Amino acid sequence: MTQNNLFFSSKEFKNKAWVKDKKIYKEAEKNPVKFWEKLAAKLFWFKKWKKSFVHNPPYSRVKLGTGRLAESENRPYFQWFAGGKINITENIFEKNLLGWEKIKNKTAVIWEPEPTNEEPKKLTYEELFKQVCKFANALKKLGVKKGDRVGIYLPMIPEAIISVLACARIGAVHTVIFSAFSPAALKIRLQDTGAKILITADGYYRRGRIIDLKKSADHGTKETKVKKVVVIKRAGNKIFFKKTRDLWWHELLKKENDYCKPAIMDAGDLLFLLATSGSTGRPKQTMHACGGYAVQAYWTGKWIFDFHQNDIFWCTADLGWVTGHTYGCYSPLLNGICFLFFEGAPDWPKPDRWAQIIEKYGVSIFYTAPTAIRMFEKYGEKIIKKYKFKKLRVLGTVGEPIDEDAWQWYFKNVGKSRCPIVDTWWQTETGGILISSLPGVGPFKPAFVGLPFPGIKFDILNEQGKSCKIGEQGNLVILPPFAPGLLQGLYKNPKKYKETYWSQYGNKAYFTSDGAIKDKQGLIRIVGRVDDVLKVAGHRITTGELENAVAKHPEITECAVIGIPDAIKGEVPIIFIVSKKIHKIGFCLEIKQEIIEQIKKEIGPIALPKEIYMVEDLPKTRSGKIMRRILKKLFIAEAPLNNCKANLTGQDLGDLSTLSNPETVEKIKKIIQQK
Ligand code: WTA
């Protein structure tokens, strides 16, 4: 049903949905803490919390959980379920809310390998549980204790899920590193978390090629505290095996018992650390605690995706990102449903691979990123026309703003104008979705993420801290009681935690770094980041970390990175470089190639730029600050971006008189025009 560009779910859908009445919002608003308390009480706790929510707890009373730093300034600004004892795996397995007897023989995970001639694998809840326990016991024998960090550098294979859950079982802190990250990026993450164990694989398949993951792991573990490396045999490629350090997964598991007692965790103890882009080259390690995260992961999945017993859910995100953690692993498992785990690329070996998978397994809930939607839109309707997608009933999107075109395409061609689309806003920091329409309530408005989840309070503030009017753009903030799954700190960096999230408006409002607008009905539209974060194909990178990688090249004296709109990837980086050797013939091409290699080495292929421009100088203020804003406007006004949907005309460069070198602007303009 549609009305003034608003879409509503069908009566039939509403009838079966967990939440169908908007009065839930009112009920939650009356007392959000009580509301969450009621939801949390449904989960299994070894011991109930003493206080459900504390804002600014005095340091002396904060119980510092395992892995937490005993530094006074690192105290959390709020605590959820303080004193409660829980284990998230106990809630997935023995104490699953659906009842263990009911789910133990049900398929938990369907694994689809990349090679089409290889057999998929299925694991029931009981099989998964046994594997998790075996590996948990193996980790214990390797000396892993509660609070110890364990690095997981794995492709999308079932062992990745098993590893994550095994850590959670024994109270070790998992820290998953995206498998396409370079050895240098892996090393930084291992150093910052202090992991002593790394779990990796010999190799994996990507677009028909075998990627030698172990080689990257060997390089990435140098100069770290990693003492043991557990290796999974996946691709069978030849690897270097250091007998004193490396252990085969299959050999370790052979000897282990298939039951392991769950560690009793404090609600505030760390469950995982997950890196996200920082403004410098070093990522920030977000700290997520056991109690609140489990509550949020369970309920947001249940209500936003409307998980029911017979659903088959597919979240296409890699486990290396937060979406993969929460909705590609924990949330479907806590809800006792079956989900898909896919090793390969969505359009390999043919563009309709993803459509084939949805059809083959009867996927009923599909969750992906706008970049993937736009990519398939570009391939054209004909590749999916033959698929009926009869089982599909809910569609989801995440990670970047979705434009109206892509939304409509997704709705018509994938959802066959029948499935509600939940556009879900959240961040690595929030642990779970915080803004989205509920599929049985609606309304769904293209390019709007919808209403805050019941029990979550947002506002849009101007620079002075005043609430913005309807239609006025401002900064999106989360108000107390914040969210049960919101990050508890940045590991070993309390200063940055305060600076990034709690400085703009004090510790009364969590600063999201997103610009947003509200409409008359209170529906929120995300405009994009107000800091230096780029969302490239949904992946989060900062201009700072890219500049850092480029600046390591010995011939580069200065550089600046900007993000520009892209029709498929949403946003892409453009790099401007300055080198003393600019006039040497042939040098320009050569150096550009070297910079590409440099970025691959420092970060990985996800951060590759769309274009590199060699310029004589960069526009700077008199105090020497590089004016990226001017570069961006210049680029958008001058570049022949035929695949860019942004309005490229009439960009005013603004006042150039504050520049110390205004003449550079004309020169750069010419270089861009020559392309
Ligand atoms: C952006 C991803 C518009 C936003 C889960 C946020 C979105 C950043 C949406 C976090 C959405 C996420 N619509 N923008 N539905 N979802 N974002 O940490 O800018 O990789 O701050 O977490 O992605 O990215 P992250």
Side-chain angles (χ1 to χ4, degrees):
M1 245 201 316
T2 163
Q3 177 192 320
N4 293 337
N5 210 21
L6 287 183
F7 294 77
F8 298 90
S9 41
S10 65
K11 258 208 181 114
E12 195 196 342
F13 188 98
K14 259 183 192 296
N15 281 341
K16 292 191 193 140
W18 286 115
V19 189
K20 46 188 141 235
D21 199 327
K22 58 179 184 224
K23 70 177 188 236
I24 193 151
Y25 290 102
K26 280 249 157 66
E27 186 197 323
E29 207 178 313
K30 267 190 250 154
N31 191 336
V33 173
K34 267 232 165 78
F35 181 79
W36 279 109
E37 225 177 285
K38 242 165 79 185
L39 296 185
K42 296 272 196 262
L43 267 69
F44 172 78
W45 297 79
F46 297 111
K47 192 174 147 224
K48 209 184 157 187
W49 54 87
K50 287 199 189 96
K51 251 191 151 335
S52 46
F53 178 75
V54 197
H55 195 187
N56 289 324
Y59 176 63
S60 56
R61 270 195 254 140
V62 173
K63 187 182 174 305
L64 291 169
T66 336
R68 195 56 81 57
L69 296 164
E71 289 169 33
S72 58
E73 73 271 45
N74 196 46
R75 70 176 193 193
Y77 296 95
F78 62 93
Q79 275 187 302
W80 272 98
F81 313 119
K85 306 274 184 202
I86 194 166
N87 187 300
I88 196 163
T89 66
E90 190 81 353
N91 277 280
I92 289 173
F93 299 116
E94 307 101 297
K95 301 286 182 188
N96 190 294
L97 274 173
L98 291 179
W100 182 234
E101 284 308 313
K102 226 171 164 181
I103 64 159
K104 69 180 198 194
N105 296 319
K106 177 180 174 175
T107 304
V109 190
I110 303 172
W111 176 64
E112 172 83 2
E114 179 177 287
T116 43
N117 58 1
E118 192 177 328
E119 279 301 304
K121 264 189 207 154
K122 287 185 182 178
L123 282 173
T124 64
Y125 271 84
E126 191 168 38
E127 284 163 347
L128 179 64
F129 182 40
K130 286 186 172 166
Q131 297 281 320
V132 167
C133 285
K134 280 187 175 192
F135 191 54
N137 286 327
L139 283 175
K140 274 192 182 167
K141 283 216 185 109
L142 291 175
V144 178
K145 298 200 175 60
K146 204 170 171 180
D148 285 350
R149 277 79 58 216
V150 174
I152 299 174
Y153 186 50
L154 283 176
M156 292 286 282
I157 53 176
E159 288 83 352
I161 299 172
I162 297 166
S163 302
V164 159
L165 298 179
C167 290
R169 187 78 182 167
I170 60 170
V173 179
H174 57 79
T175 156
V176 182
I177 300 117
F178 180 44
S179 57
F181 272 135
S182 68
L186 169 66
K187 182 189 289 182
I188 285 184
R189 285 156 179 80
L190 292 173
Q191 284 173 340
D192 287 353
T193 55
K196 289 190 200 110
I197 304 257
L198 181 71
I199 304 154
T200 190
D202 51 358
Y204 65 98
Y205 296 93
R206 192 70 184 169
R207 298 187 173 276
R209 276 192 317 133
I210 290 181
I211 309 286
D212 194 344
L213 192 67
K214 177 65 167 43
K215 194 169 158 200
S216 301
D218 288 338
H219 286 296
T221 43
K222 281 182 193 152
E223 297 152 40
T224 68
K225 289 194 179 138
V226 171
K227 295 276 169 323
K228 292 279 170 213
V229 177
V230 180
V231 189
I232 293 145
K233 205 177 212 129
R234 160 67 190 122
N237 49 315
K238 228 174 140 193
I239 56 166
F240 166 72
F241 202 83
K242 193 173 174 184
K243 283 226 167 86
T244 51
R245 183 197 63 182
D246 299 347
L247 302 138
W248 282 113
W249 167 284
H250 54 271
E251 281 172 11
L252 269 184
L253 253 66
K254 245 192 254 164
K255 303 172 229 153
E256 294 304 336
N257 195 312
D258 62 12
Y259 179 74
C260 171
K261 257 173 112 175
I264 298 183
M265 306 299 287
D266 203 272
D269 281 343
L270 282 182
L271 175 64
F272 65 88
L273 291 174
L274 186 59
T276 189
S277 289
S279 45
T280 60
R282 267 201 130 79
K284 302 178 289 203
Q285 291 289 346
T286 60
M287 296 162 77
H288 287 280
C290 296
Y293 176 82
V295 173
Q296 200 174 298
Y298 174 77
W299 286 101
T300 52
K302 184 173 179 115
W303 286 355
I304 294 169
F305 298 112
D306 197 43
F307 287 151
H308 279 79
Q309 274 245 36
N310 293 328
D311 274 319
I312 299 196
F313 177 53
W314 185 15
C315 162
T316 61
D318 192 284
L319 193 67
W321 306 104
V322 76
T323 310
H325 277 58
T326 309
Y327 301 101
C329 179
Y330 282 119
S331 183
L333 289 172
L334 285 165
N335 278 280
I337 65 157
C338 169
F339 70 99
L340 243 139
F341 207 65
F342 175 43
E343 182 188 34
D347 58 345
W348 200 91
K350 294 216 180 97
D352 66 345
R353 178 79 192 263
W354 69 304
Q356 260 179 20
I357 296 174
I358 295 178
E359 201 80 331
K360 174 172 160 194
Y361 295 106
V363 169
S364 55
I365 309 166
F366 182 61
Y367 188 35
T368 195
T371 292
I373 299 166
R374 290 188 295 257
M375 184 172 94
F376 289 112
E377 187 184 355
K378 200 173 157 213
Y379 278 132
E381 283 132 48
K382 43 178 204 307
I383 66 149
I384 58 165
K385 225 177 194 157
K386 64 174 182 209
Y387 298 100
K388 300 273 182 302
F389 300 144
K390 272 207 177 119
K391 291 273 171 67
L392 267 185
R393 46 180 218 97
V394 181
L395 297 177
T397 155
V398 62
E400 34 166 338
I402 180 163
D403 52 274
E404 185 152 357
D405 272 4
W407 195 100
Q408 295 284 6
W409 188 89
Y410 195 31
F411 184 70
K412 281 196 196 107
N413 296 292
V414 183
K416 312 289 182 195
S417 303
R418 180 189 76 225
C419 307
I421 296 185
V422 287
D423 182 355
T424 63
W425 177 93
W426 58 300
Q427 309 178 303
T428 306
E429 290 87 342
T430 67
I433 301 168
L434 293 188
I435 311 177
S436 168
S437 304
L438 296 174
V441 181
F444 314 100
K445 183 173 178 179
F448 279 72
V449 286
L451 293 175
F453 192 78
I456 305 287
K457 279 182 157 176
F458 275 92
D459 203 354
I460 299 172
L461 302 180
N462 66 16
E463 295 300 322
Q464 289 73 42
K466 284 232 162 69
S467 296
C468 290
K469 294 192 202 99
I470 289 164
E472 191 189 342
Q473 186 181 327
N475 296 322
L476 185 72
V477 298
I478 313 177
L479 301 177
F482 311 114
L486 191 63
L487 84 166
Q488 294 287 294
L490 292 176
Y491 195 59
K492 297 201 173 173
N493 207 343
K495 201 167 141 240
K496 188 112 204 151
Y497 178 57
K498 187 167 182 182
E499 238 171 60
T500 317
Y501 311 108
W502 307 101
S503 297
Q504 191 88 358
Y505 302 110
N507 57 10
K508 290 189 187 68
Y510 165 90
F511 180 58
T512 65
S513 293
D514 269 318
I517 298 172
K518 220 191 236 178
D519 77 357
K520 265 189 269 169
Q521 291 177 296
L523 304 177
I524 295 171
R525 174 180 196 149
I526 305 294
V527 180
R529 300 283 302 197
V530 295
D531 57 1
D532 59 355
V533 166
L534 309 184
K535 293 296 312 244
V536 182
H539 296 140
R540 185 167 158 177
I541 44 182
T542 54
T543 54
E545 76 188 305
L546 254 172
E547 285 171 5
N548 221 29
V550 176
K552 283 193 179 152
H553 191 288
E555 300 295 344
I556 301 296
T557 48
E558 259 178 337
C559 72
V561 173
I562 56 164
I564 54 137
D566 181 83
I568 303 287
K569 293 185 170 178
E571 211 173 3
V572 284
I574 299 284
I575 305 181
F576 293 87
I577 49 172
V578 181
S579 164
K580 280 187 210 136
K581 292 193 192 165
I582 187 163
H583 297 300
K584 228 175 121 187
I585 299 167
F587 177 68
C588 200
L589 274 180
E590 199 181 296
I591 204 162
K592 282 183 188 173
Q593 197 46 46
E594 283 170 18
I595 284 178
I596 301 269
E597 292 309 316
Q598 178 87 8
I599 294 170
K600 279 192 198 157
K601 189 173 140 223
E602 294 292 328
I603 306 172
I606 55 161
L608 290 182
K610 176 143 183 158
E611 203 62 73
I612 302 174
Y613 292 100
M614 172 95 92
V615 295
E616 263 178 52
D617 200 3
L618 294 166
K620 278 185 222 122
T621 59
R622 295 205 175 99
S623 58
K625 201 175 145 219
I626 297 173
M627 294 299 283
R628 292 173 185 77
R629 189 169 43 81
I630 290 183
L631 287 171
K632 188 165 179 162
K633 284 189 172 176
L634 195 62
F635 189 89
I636 290 183
E638 301 300 332
L641 286 176
N642 50 13
N643 68 345
C644 174
K645 285 184 188 163
N647 176 13
L648 304 180
T649 52
Q651 288 279 335
D652 178 12
L653 290 181
D655 182 12
L656 300 182
S657 66
T658 53
L659 294 182
S660 66
N661 52 355
E663 69 288 354
T664 51
V665 174
E666 269 310 305
K667 288 187 186 165
I668 295 175
K669 200 169 175 177
K670 286 214 179 90
I671 292 174
I672 296 173
Q673 281 167 343
Q674 275 163 18
K675 274 269 164 186

